[in-house]
Amino acid sequence: MSRRIRRPRPARPTPATCPCGLPAAYDDCCGRLHRGQAQATTAEQLMRSRYSAFAVGNEAYLLRSWHPTTRPPGADLDPGLRWVRLEILGTTEGSAFHTTGTVEFRAHYTQGGRTGSLHENSRFVRHDGAWVYLDGLTQD
């Protein structure tokens, strides 16, 4: 007589958290912007969505959210670079009521087993009614 062993059912997978650092699933957070289902309402939200686009390798979104006067032909994403954490250090303007804004951030990454970070103060403007990345000044 064989005994039937009951195995516990695996837990339902939970949606992955958004790379931008907010407490939401990627699909409900930056994923909506990446898919074109929503637009960023603030410069910070656009910054977070662009960071997430770097983290998931979404070059098309990066280029779409870049101002046409400063947009490069390609984003040149490095497949060996893994973005691991975003810190928002400060913002100026950039709300739904502004036409310009800045976001200072530190983006942490790993590459070839080494850790590093990028510290930038990014400028954002409204173009055709939508927030877009204009340029940034990297800091040490």
Side-chain angles (χ1 to χ4, degrees), residues 4-54:
R4 186 171 184 155
I5 300 173
R6 285 190 167 235
R7 294 184 186 182
R9 289 186 176 173
R12 290 178 93 176
T14 58
T17 57
C18 193
C20 80
L22 293 177
Y26 168 75
D27 282 345
D28 298 329
C29 191
C30 293
R32 297 177 316 114
L33 281 68
H34 294 174
R35 292 187 304 272
Q37 294 173 323
Q39 283 191 341
T41 58
T42 66
E44 181 180 336
Q45 186 180 28
L46 183 67
M47 173 59 238
R48 288 179 178 278
S49 71
R50 286 179 54 81
Y51 170 84
S52 290
F54 275 104

Coordinates of all heavy atoms in Angstrom, one line a residue, residues 4-54:
R4 N 0.1 8.3 0.0 CA 0.2 9.6 -0.8 C 0.6 10.7 0.1 O 0.1 11.0 1.1 CB -1.2 9.9 -1.3 CG -1.2 11.0 -2.2 CD -2.5 11.2 -2.9 NE -2.3 12.3 -3.9 CZ -3.1 12.4 -4.9 NH1 -4.0 11.5 -5.2 NH2 -2.9 13.4 -5.7
I5 N 1.7 11.3 -0.3 CA 2.3 12.4 0.4 C 1.7 13.7 -0.1 O 1.8 14.0 -1.3 CB 3.8 12.4 0.4 CG1 4.3 11.1 0.9 CG2 4.4 13.6 1.1 CD1 5.8 10.9 0.7
R6 N 1.2 14.5 0.8 CA 0.7 15.8 0.4 C 1.8 16.8 0.4 O 2.5 17.0 1.4 CB -0.4 16.3 1.3 CG -1.7 15.6 1.0 CD -2.8 16.3 1.8 NE -4.0 15.8 1.4 CZ -5.0 16.5 0.9 NH1 -4.9 17.8 0.9 NH2 -6.1 16.0 0.5
R7 N 2.0 17.4 -0.7 CA 3.0 18.4 -0.8 C 2.4 19.8 -0.7 O 1.3 20.0 -1.3 CB 3.8 18.3 -2.1 CG 4.6 17.0 -2.2 CD 5.4 17.0 -3.4 NE 6.0 15.7 -3.5 CZ 6.8 15.3 -4.4 NH1 7.1 16.2 -5.4 NH2 7.4 14.1 -4.4
P8 N 3.0 20.7 0.0 CA 2.4 22.0 0.1 C 2.4 22.6 -1.3 O 3.3 22.4 -2.1 CB 3.3 22.7 1.0 CG 4.5 22.0 1.1 CD 4.2 20.6 0.7
R9 N 1.3 23.3 -1.6 CA 1.3 24.1 -2.9 C 2.3 25.2 -2.8 O 2.4 25.9 -1.8 CB -0.1 24.6 -3.1 CG -1.1 23.5 -3.5 CD -2.4 24.2 -3.9 NE -3.3 23.1 -4.3 CZ -4.5 23.3 -4.5 NH1 -5.1 24.5 -4.4 NH2 -5.3 22.3 -4.9
P10 N 2.9 25.5 -3.9 CA 3.8 26.6 -3.9 C 3.0 27.9 -3.8 O 1.9 28.0 -4.2 CB 4.5 26.6 -5.3 CG 3.7 25.6 -6.1 CD 2.9 24.8 -5.2
A11 N 3.6 28.8 -3.1 CA 2.9 30.1 -2.9 C 2.7 30.8 -4.3 O 3.5 30.6 -5.2 CB 3.8 31.0 -2.0
R12 N 1.6 31.5 -4.4 CA 1.4 32.3 -5.6 C 2.5 33.3 -5.7 O 2.9 34.0 -4.8 CB 0.1 33.0 -5.5 CG -1.1 32.1 -5.6 CD -2.4 32.8 -5.5 NE -2.8 33.2 -6.9 CZ -3.9 33.8 -7.1 NH1 -4.7 34.2 -6.1 NH2 -4.3 34.1 -8.4
P13 N 3.1 33.4 -6.9 CA 4.1 34.4 -7.1 C 3.6 35.9 -6.9 O 2.4 36.1 -7.3 CB 4.6 34.2 -8.5 CG 3.5 33.5 -9.2 CD 2.8 32.7 -8.1
T14 N 4.3 36.7 -6.3 CA 3.9 38.1 -6.1 C 4.5 38.9 -7.2 O 5.6 38.6 -7.7 CB 4.3 38.6 -4.7 OG1 5.8 38.5 -4.7 CG2 3.7 37.8 -3.6
P15 N 3.9 39.9 -7.7 CA 4.4 40.8 -8.7 C 5.7 41.4 -8.2 O 5.9 41.8 -7.0 CB 3.4 41.8 -9.0 CG 2.1 41.3 -8.3 CD 2.5 40.4 -7.3
A16 N 6.7 41.5 -9.1 CA 8.0 42.1 -8.8 C 7.8 43.6 -8.4 O 6.9 44.2 -9.0 CB 8.9 41.9 -9.9
T17 N 8.6 44.0 -7.5 CA 8.5 45.4 -7.1 C 9.1 46.2 -8.2 O 10.0 45.8 -9.0 CB 9.2 45.7 -5.8 OG1 10.5 45.3 -5.9 CG2 8.5 45.0 -4.7
C18 N 8.7 47.5 -8.3 CA 9.2 48.4 -9.4 C 10.7 48.7 -9.1 O 11.0 49.0 -7.9 CB 8.4 49.6 -9.5 SG 8.7 50.6 -11.0
P19 N 11.5 48.7 -10.1 CA 12.9 49.1 -9.9 C 13.1 50.5 -9.4 O 14.1 50.9 -8.7 CB 13.6 49.0 -11.3 CG 12.7 48.1 -12.1 CD 11.3 48.3 -11.5
C20 N 12.1 51.4 -9.6 CA 12.2 52.8 -9.2 C 12.3 53.0 -7.7 O 12.6 54.1 -7.2 CB 11.1 53.7 -9.8 SG 9.5 53.6 -8.9
G21 N 11.9 52.0 -6.9 CA 12.0 52.1 -5.4 C 10.7 52.4 -4.7 O 10.6 52.3 -3.5
L22 N 9.6 52.7 -5.5 CA 8.4 52.9 -4.8 C 7.7 51.6 -4.5 O 8.0 50.6 -5.1 CB 7.4 53.7 -5.8 CG 7.9 55.2 -6.0 CD1 6.9 55.9 -7.0 CD2 8.0 56.0 -4.7
P23 N 6.9 51.5 -3.5 CA 6.3 50.3 -3.0 C 5.1 49.8 -3.9 O 4.0 49.8 -3.4 CB 5.9 50.6 -1.6 CG 5.5 52.0 -1.6 CD 6.5 52.7 -2.6
A24 N 5.4 49.5 -5.1 CA 4.3 49.1 -6.1 C 5.0 48.1 -7.0 O 6.2 48.1 -7.2 CB 3.8 50.3 -6.8
A25 N 4.1 47.3 -7.6 CA 4.6 46.4 -8.6 C 4.9 47.1 -9.9 O 4.3 48.2 -10.2 CB 3.4 45.4 -9.0
Y26 N 5.9 46.6 -10.6 CA 6.4 47.3 -11.8 C 5.2 47.6 -12.8 O 5.1 48.7 -13.3 CB 7.5 46.4 -12.5 CG 7.8 46.9 -13.9 CD1 8.6 48.0 -14.1 CD2 7.3 46.2 -15.0 CE1 8.8 48.4 -15.4 CE2 7.6 46.6 -16.3 CZ 8.4 47.7 -16.5 OH 8.6 48.1 -17.8
D27 N 4.4 46.6 -13.0 CA 3.2 46.7 -14.0 C 2.3 47.9 -13.6 O 1.8 48.6 -14.4 CB 2.4 45.5 -14.1 CG 3.1 44.4 -15.0 OD1 4.1 44.8 -15.7 OD2 2.7 43.3 -14.9
D28 N 2.2 48.1 -12.3 CA 1.3 49.2 -11.8 C 2.0 50.5 -11.6 O 1.3 51.5 -11.4 CB 0.6 48.8 -10.5 CG -0.2 47.5 -10.6 OD1 -0.8 47.3 -11.6 OD2 -0.3 46.8 -9.6
C29 N 3.3 50.5 -11.7 CA 4.0 51.7 -11.4 C 4.7 52.2 -12.7 O 3.9 52.7 -13.6 CB 5.1 51.4 -10.4 SG 6.0 52.9 -9.7
C30 N 5.9 52.0 -12.9 CA 6.6 52.5 -14.1 C 6.2 51.7 -15.4 O 6.3 52.3 -16.5 CB 8.1 52.5 -14.0 SG 8.7 53.6 -12.7
G31 N 5.8 50.5 -15.3 CA 5.4 49.7 -16.4 C 4.2 50.4 -17.2 O 4.2 50.3 -18.4
R32 N 3.3 51.1 -16.5 CA 2.2 51.8 -17.2 C 2.8 52.9 -18.1 O 2.3 53.1 -19.2 CB 1.3 52.4 -16.1 CG 0.6 51.4 -15.2 CD -0.3 52.1 -14.2 NE 0.3 53.3 -13.5 CZ -0.1 54.5 -13.7 NH1 -1.1 54.9 -14.4 NH2 0.6 55.5 -13.0
L33 N 3.8 53.6 -17.6 CA 4.4 54.6 -18.4 C 5.2 54.0 -19.6 O 5.1 54.5 -20.7 CB 5.3 55.5 -17.5 CG 4.6 56.5 -16.7 CD1 3.8 55.9 -15.5 CD2 5.6 57.5 -16.1
H34 N 5.9 53.0 -19.3 CA 6.7 52.3 -20.4 C 5.8 51.8 -21.5 O 6.1 51.9 -22.7 CB 7.5 51.2 -19.8 CG 8.6 51.6 -18.9 ND1 9.3 50.7 -18.2 CD2 9.0 52.9 -18.5 CE1 10.2 51.4 -17.4 NE2 10.0 52.7 -17.6
R35 N 4.6 51.3 -21.1 CA 3.6 50.8 -22.1 C 2.8 51.9 -22.8 O 2.0 51.6 -23.7 CB 2.7 49.8 -21.5 CG 3.4 48.5 -21.0 CD 2.4 47.4 -20.6 NE 1.5 47.9 -19.5 CZ 1.8 47.8 -18.2 NH1 3.0 47.3 -17.8 NH2 1.0 48.3 -17.3
G36 N 2.9 53.1 -22.3 CA 2.2 54.2 -22.9 C 0.7 54.3 -22.4 O -0.1 55.1 -22.9
Q37 N 0.5 53.7 -21.3 CA -0.9 53.7 -20.7 C -1.1 54.9 -19.8 O -2.2 55.2 -19.4 CB -1.2 52.4 -19.9 CG -1.2 51.2 -20.7 CD -1.3 49.9 -19.9 OE1 -0.7 49.8 -18.8 NE2 -2.1 49.0 -20.4
A38 N 0.0 55.6 -19.5 CA 0.0 56.8 -18.6 C 1.2 57.6 -18.9 O 2.1 57.2 -19.5 CB 0.0 56.4 -17.1
Q39 N 1.1 58.9 -18.5 CA 2.2 59.8 -18.6 C 2.7 60.3 -17.3 O 1.8 60.4 -16.3 CB 1.8 61.1 -19.5 CG 1.8 60.8 -20.9 CD 1.6 62.1 -21.7 OE1 1.3 63.2 -21.1 NE2 1.9 62.1 -23.0
A40 N 3.9 60.6 -17.1 CA 4.4 61.1 -15.9 C 3.8 62.4 -15.6 O 3.7 63.3 -16.4 CB 5.9 61.3 -15.9
T41 N 3.3 62.6 -14.3 CA 2.7 63.9 -13.9 C 3.7 64.8 -13.3 O 3.3 66.0 -13.1 CB 1.5 63.6 -13.0 OG1 2.0 62.9 -11.9 CG2 0.4 62.8 -13.7
T42 N 4.8 64.3 -12.9 CA 5.9 65.2 -12.3 C 7.2 64.8 -12.9 O 7.4 63.7 -13.4 CB 5.9 65.0 -10.7 OG1 6.4 63.6 -10.5 CG2 4.6 65.2 -10.1
A43 N 8.2 65.7 -12.7 CA 9.5 65.4 -13.2 C 10.1 64.2 -12.4 O 10.8 63.4 -13.0 CB 10.4 66.7 -13.0
E44 N 9.8 64.1 -11.1 CA 10.4 63.0 -10.3 C 9.8 61.7 -10.8 O 10.5 60.7 -10.9 CB 10.1 63.1 -8.8 CG 10.6 62.0 -8.0 CD 10.3 62.0 -6.6 OE1 10.1 63.2 -6.0 OE2 10.3 61.0 -5.9
Q45 N 8.5 61.7 -11.2 CA 7.9 60.4 -11.7 C 8.6 60.0 -13.0 O 8.8 58.9 -13.3 CB 6.4 60.6 -11.8 CG 5.7 59.3 -12.2 CD 4.2 59.4 -12.4 OE1 3.7 60.5 -12.8 NE2 3.5 58.3 -12.2
L46 N 8.9 61.0 -13.8 CA 9.6 60.7 -15.1 C 11.0 60.2 -14.8 O 11.4 59.2 -15.4 CB 9.6 61.9 -16.0 CG 10.3 61.6 -17.4 CD1 9.4 60.7 -18.2 CD2 10.6 62.9 -18.1
M47 N 11.7 60.8 -13.9 CA 13.0 60.4 -13.5 C 13.0 58.9 -13.0 O 13.8 58.1 -13.5 CB 13.6 61.3 -12.4 CG 14.9 60.8 -11.8 SD 16.2 60.7 -13.0 CE 16.7 59.0 -12.8
R48 N 12.0 58.6 -12.2 CA 11.9 57.2 -11.7 C 11.6 56.3 -12.8 O 12.2 55.2 -12.9 CB 10.8 57.1 -10.6 CG 11.2 57.7 -9.3 CD 10.1 57.6 -8.3 NE 10.5 58.2 -7.0 CZ 11.2 57.6 -6.1 NH1 11.6 56.3 -6.3 NH2 11.5 58.2 -4.9
S49 N 10.7 56.7 -13.8 CA 10.4 55.8 -14.9 C 11.6 55.6 -15.8 O 11.7 54.5 -16.4 CB 9.2 56.3 -15.6 OG 9.5 57.5 -16.4
R50 N 12.4 56.6 -16.0 CA 13.6 56.5 -16.8 C 14.6 55.6 -16.2 O 15.2 54.8 -16.8 CB 14.2 57.9 -17.1 CG 13.3 58.7 -18.1 CD 13.9 60.0 -18.4 NE 15.3 60.0 -18.8 CZ 15.7 59.7 -20.1 NH1 14.8 59.5 -21.0 NH2 17.0 59.8 -20.3
Y51 N 14.8 55.7 -14.9 CA 15.7 54.8 -14.2 C 15.2 53.3 -14.4 O 16.0 52.5 -14.7 CB 15.7 55.1 -12.7 CG 16.5 54.1 -11.9 CD1 17.8 54.1 -11.8 CD2 15.7 53.0 -11.3 CE1 18.5 53.1 -11.1 CE2 16.4 52.0 -10.6 CZ 17.8 52.1 -10.5 OH 18.4 51.0 -9.8
S52 N 13.9 53.1 -14.2 CA 13.3 51.8 -14.4 C 13.5 51.3 -15.8 O 13.8 50.1 -16.0 CB 11.8 51.8 -14.0 OG 11.7 51.9 -12.6
A53 N 13.4 52.2 -16.8 CA 13.7 51.8 -18.2 C 15.1 51.4 -18.4 O 15.4 50.4 -19.1 CB 13.3 53.0 -19.1
F54 N 16.1 52.1 -17.7 CA 17.5 51.6 -17.8 C 17.6 50.2 -17.1 O 18.2 49.3 -17.6 CB 18.4 52.6 -17.0 CG 18.9 53.7 -17.9 CD1 18.3 55.0 -17.7 CD2 19.8 53.5 -18.9 CE1 18.7 56.0 -18.5 CE2 20.3 54.6 -19.7 CZ 19.7 55.9 -19.5

